[in-house]
Short mmCIF file of all heavy atoms in Angstrom, two decimals:
data_model
loop_
_atom_site.label_atom_id
_atom_site.label_comp_id
_atom_site.label_asym_id
_atom_site.label_seq_id
_atom_site.Cartn_x
_atom_site.Cartn_y
_atom_site.Cartn_z
N GLY A 302 53.97 108.34 -14.94
CA GLY A 302 54.89 108.77 -13.90
C GLY A 302 55.87 109.85 -14.33
O GLY A 302 56.64 110.34 -13.51
N ILE A 303 55.87 110.22 -15.63
CA ILE A 303 56.75 111.31 -16.03
C ILE A 303 55.98 112.32 -16.87
O ILE A 303 54.89 112.05 -17.35
CB ILE A 303 58.00 110.82 -16.79
CG1 ILE A 303 57.62 110.16 -18.11
CG2 ILE A 303 58.81 109.90 -15.94
CD1 ILE A 303 58.83 109.66 -18.85
N GLU A 304 56.59 113.47 -17.03
CA GLU A 304 55.93 114.59 -17.68
C GLU A 304 56.60 114.82 -19.05
O GLU A 304 57.82 114.73 -19.17
CB GLU A 304 56.05 115.81 -16.77
CG GLU A 304 55.19 116.99 -17.14
CD GLU A 304 55.82 117.86 -18.18
OE1 GLU A 304 57.06 117.80 -18.36
OE2 GLU A 304 55.08 118.60 -18.84
N GLU A 306 57.24 117.35 -21.17
CA GLU A 306 58.24 118.36 -21.53
C GLU A 306 59.63 117.96 -21.06
O GLU A 306 60.62 118.12 -21.78
CB GLU A 306 57.88 119.73 -20.94
CG GLU A 306 58.80 120.82 -21.46
CD GLU A 306 58.77 122.09 -20.63
OE1 GLU A 306 57.92 122.94 -20.90
OE2 GLU A 306 59.61 122.22 -19.72
N SER A 307 59.70 117.43 -19.84
CA SER A 307 61.00 116.99 -19.33
C SER A 307 61.59 115.89 -20.22
O SER A 307 62.78 115.88 -20.53
CB SER A 307 60.86 116.43 -17.92
OG SER A 307 60.42 117.44 -17.06
N MET A 310 62.91 117.37 -23.40
CA MET A 310 64.15 118.13 -23.27
C MET A 310 65.35 117.23 -23.03
O MET A 310 66.45 117.52 -23.50
CB MET A 310 63.99 119.17 -22.18
CG MET A 310 63.02 120.26 -22.68
SD MET A 310 62.77 121.59 -21.54
CE MET A 310 64.45 122.10 -21.30
N ALA A 314 68.51 116.85 -25.50
CA ALA A 314 69.91 116.88 -25.06
C ALA A 314 70.67 115.65 -25.58
O ALA A 314 71.88 115.70 -25.76
CB ALA A 314 69.97 116.93 -23.53
N LEU A 330 48.89 124.98 -21.25
CA LEU A 330 49.18 124.20 -20.06
C LEU A 330 48.36 122.92 -19.99
O LEU A 330 48.73 121.97 -19.30
CB LEU A 330 48.90 125.04 -18.82
CG LEU A 330 49.72 126.35 -18.82
CD1 LEU A 330 49.24 127.28 -17.74
CD2 LEU A 330 51.20 126.05 -18.65
N HIS A 343 44.14 112.99 -17.29
CA HIS A 343 45.13 114.07 -17.38
C HIS A 343 46.54 113.60 -17.05
O HIS A 343 47.49 113.92 -17.76
CB HIS A 343 44.76 115.19 -16.40
CG HIS A 343 43.80 116.18 -16.94
ND1 HIS A 343 42.49 115.87 -17.22
CD2 HIS A 343 43.94 117.48 -17.28
CE1 HIS A 343 41.88 116.93 -17.68
NE2 HIS A 343 42.73 117.92 -17.74
N GLU A 344 46.69 112.86 -15.94
CA GLU A 344 48.04 112.54 -15.47
C GLU A 344 48.79 111.66 -16.48
O GLU A 344 50.01 111.74 -16.58
CB GLU A 344 48.03 111.91 -14.08
CG GLU A 344 47.12 110.72 -13.91
CD GLU A 344 45.73 111.12 -13.42
OE1 GLU A 344 45.21 112.15 -13.89
OE2 GLU A 344 45.16 110.38 -12.59
N HIS A 347 49.72 113.85 -19.70
CA HIS A 347 50.89 114.73 -19.50
C HIS A 347 52.19 114.06 -19.91
O HIS A 347 53.16 114.73 -20.25
CB HIS A 347 51.02 115.13 -18.02
CG HIS A 347 50.14 116.26 -17.63
ND1 HIS A 347 50.19 117.49 -18.25
CD2 HIS A 347 49.17 116.36 -16.69
CE1 HIS A 347 49.30 118.29 -17.70
NE2 HIS A 347 48.65 117.63 -16.76
N ARG A 376 65.43 107.67 -15.61
CA ARG A 376 65.98 108.81 -14.87
C ARG A 376 64.86 109.72 -14.34
O ARG A 376 64.89 110.16 -13.19
CB ARG A 376 66.91 109.59 -15.82
CG ARG A 376 67.38 110.88 -15.26
CD ARG A 376 68.47 111.48 -16.13
NE ARG A 376 68.65 112.87 -15.77
CZ ARG A 376 69.47 113.69 -16.41
NH1 ARG A 376 70.16 113.24 -17.45
NH2 ARG A 376 69.60 114.93 -16.02
N MET A 380 63.05 110.20 -10.10
CA MET A 380 62.86 111.40 -9.28
C MET A 380 61.39 111.84 -9.25
O MET A 380 61.10 112.98 -8.90
CB MET A 380 63.76 112.53 -9.78
CG MET A 380 63.52 112.94 -11.20
SD MET A 380 64.69 114.21 -11.76
CE MET A 380 64.15 115.61 -10.82
N PRO A 382 57.61 111.67 -7.77
CA PRO A 382 56.75 111.20 -6.68
C PRO A 382 55.54 110.43 -7.21
O PRO A 382 54.98 109.59 -6.49
CB PRO A 382 56.32 112.48 -5.96
CG PRO A 382 56.61 113.60 -6.89
CD PRO A 382 57.67 113.14 -7.84
N VAL A 383 55.13 110.72 -8.43
CA VAL A 383 53.99 110.00 -9.02
C VAL A 383 54.38 108.55 -9.29
O VAL A 383 53.63 107.62 -9.00
CB VAL A 383 53.53 110.68 -10.33
CG1 VAL A 383 52.41 109.89 -10.98
CG2 VAL A 383 53.09 112.11 -10.06
N TYR B 3 64.73 128.19 -22.46
CA TYR B 3 65.02 128.47 -21.05
C TYR B 3 66.40 129.09 -20.92
O TYR B 3 67.26 128.93 -21.79
CB TYR B 3 65.01 127.16 -20.26
CG TYR B 3 63.62 126.58 -20.03
CD1 TYR B 3 63.27 125.35 -20.57
CD2 TYR B 3 62.68 127.26 -19.26
CE1 TYR B 3 62.01 124.80 -20.34
CE2 TYR B 3 61.44 126.72 -19.04
CZ TYR B 3 61.10 125.49 -19.56
OH TYR B 3 59.88 124.97 -19.32
N MET B 8 68.46 125.44 -17.52
CA MET B 8 68.91 124.20 -18.17
C MET B 8 69.88 123.43 -17.29
O MET B 8 69.82 122.21 -17.20
CB MET B 8 69.56 124.53 -19.53
CG MET B 8 68.56 124.88 -20.62
SD MET B 8 67.23 123.68 -20.80
CE MET B 8 68.13 122.27 -21.44
N PHE B 11 67.98 121.84 -14.52
CA PHE B 11 67.14 120.76 -15.04
C PHE B 11 67.98 119.53 -15.40
O PHE B 11 67.64 118.40 -15.04
CB PHE B 11 66.36 121.24 -16.28
CG PHE B 11 65.71 120.12 -17.04
CD1 PHE B 11 64.68 119.38 -16.46
CD2 PHE B 11 66.12 119.78 -18.33
CE1 PHE B 11 64.08 118.33 -17.14
CE2 PHE B 11 65.53 118.74 -19.01
CZ PHE B 11 64.51 118.01 -18.43
N MET B 12 69.09 119.79 -16.06
CA MET B 12 69.94 118.67 -16.49
C MET B 12 70.68 118.03 -15.31
O MET B 12 70.90 116.83 -15.31
CB MET B 12 70.96 119.12 -17.54
CG MET B 12 70.37 119.58 -18.86
SD MET B 12 69.40 118.31 -19.71
CE MET B 12 70.65 117.09 -20.10
N PRO B 32 48.60 115.41 -10.02
CA PRO B 32 48.98 114.93 -11.34
C PRO B 32 48.11 115.51 -12.44
O PRO B 32 48.52 115.61 -13.59
CB PRO B 32 48.80 113.41 -11.25
CG PRO B 32 48.33 113.09 -9.90
CD PRO B 32 48.17 114.34 -9.12
N LYS B 33 46.91 115.95 -12.10
CA LYS B 33 45.99 116.47 -13.09
C LYS B 33 46.55 117.73 -13.76
O LYS B 33 46.49 117.90 -14.96
CB LYS B 33 44.65 116.78 -12.43
CG LYS B 33 43.52 116.76 -13.41
CD LYS B 33 42.17 116.73 -12.73
CE LYS B 33 41.10 116.81 -13.78
NZ LYS B 33 40.40 118.05 -13.91
N GLY B 35 49.69 118.61 -13.72
CA GLY B 35 50.96 118.36 -14.40
C GLY B 35 52.23 118.53 -13.59
O GLY B 35 53.29 118.16 -14.06
N ILE B 37 54.05 117.98 -9.63
CA ILE B 37 53.98 117.57 -8.23
C ILE B 37 55.38 117.62 -7.64
O ILE B 37 56.33 117.19 -8.29
CB ILE B 37 53.48 116.11 -8.08
CG1 ILE B 37 52.09 115.98 -8.66
CG2 ILE B 37 53.49 115.68 -6.61
CD1 ILE B 37 51.52 114.60 -8.47
N ASN B 55 61.75 115.28 -4.74
CA ASN B 55 61.35 114.51 -5.91
C ASN B 55 60.29 115.32 -6.63
O ASN B 55 59.38 115.84 -6.00
CB ASN B 55 60.75 113.16 -5.51
CG ASN B 55 61.79 112.05 -5.52
OD1 ASN B 55 62.85 112.20 -6.14
ND2 ASN B 55 61.49 110.96 -4.85
N THR B 56 60.42 115.44 -7.95
CA THR B 56 59.44 116.24 -8.70
C THR B 56 58.99 115.53 -9.97
O THR B 56 59.81 114.94 -10.69
CB THR B 56 60.03 117.63 -9.06
OG1 THR B 56 60.18 118.39 -7.86
CG2 THR B 56 59.12 118.40 -10.00
N PHE B 57 57.69 115.58 -10.18
CA PHE B 57 57.09 115.16 -11.45
C PHE B 57 56.67 116.45 -12.10
O PHE B 57 55.86 117.19 -11.54
CB PHE B 57 55.87 114.27 -11.17
CG PHE B 57 54.90 114.11 -12.33
CD1 PHE B 57 54.99 113.02 -13.18
CD2 PHE B 57 53.88 115.03 -12.53
CE1 PHE B 57 54.08 112.87 -14.23
CE2 PHE B 57 52.97 114.87 -13.58
CZ PHE B 57 53.07 113.79 -14.42
N GLY B 58 57.24 116.79 -13.24
CA GLY B 58 56.84 118.04 -13.87
C GLY B 58 57.76 118.44 -14.99
O GLY B 58 58.70 117.72 -15.34
N CYS B 59 57.47 119.64 -15.50
CA CYS B 59 58.22 120.15 -16.65
C CYS B 59 59.61 120.59 -16.21
O CYS B 59 59.95 120.56 -15.02
CB CYS B 59 57.46 121.30 -17.27
SG CYS B 59 57.31 122.69 -16.14
N ALA B 60 60.40 121.06 -17.16
CA ALA B 60 61.77 121.48 -16.87
C ALA B 60 61.80 122.61 -15.86
O ALA B 60 62.67 122.62 -14.99
CB ALA B 60 62.46 121.90 -18.17
N LYS B 100 55.53 129.97 -17.65
CA LYS B 100 56.05 128.94 -16.75
C LYS B 100 56.17 129.43 -15.31
O LYS B 100 56.61 128.68 -14.43
CB LYS B 100 57.42 128.47 -17.24
CG LYS B 100 57.36 127.69 -18.53
CD LYS B 100 56.71 126.33 -18.30
CE LYS B 100 56.78 125.46 -19.54
NZ LYS B 100 56.20 124.14 -19.29
N HIS B 102 54.02 129.93 -13.10
CA HIS B 102 53.16 129.20 -12.15
C HIS B 102 53.84 127.92 -11.66
O HIS B 102 53.55 127.44 -10.56
CB HIS B 102 51.81 128.88 -12.79
CG HIS B 102 51.86 127.75 -13.75
ND1 HIS B 102 51.36 126.50 -13.43
CD2 HIS B 102 52.39 127.65 -14.98
CE1 HIS B 102 51.58 125.70 -14.46
NE2 HIS B 102 52.19 126.36 -15.40
#
Side-chain angles (χ1 to χ4, degrees):
Chain A
I303 64 181
E304 192 276 340
E306 188 197 273
S307 297
M310 290 182 55
L330 303 169
H343 274 68
E344 53 268 39
H347 278 303
R376 172 170 165 185
M380 60 184 290
V383 176
Chain B
Y3 287 116
M8 285 309 292
F11 167 66
M12 295 301 294
K33 204 166 176 254
I37 299 184
N55 265 342
T56 292
F57 162 95
C59 63
K100 291 290 187 178
H102 77 105

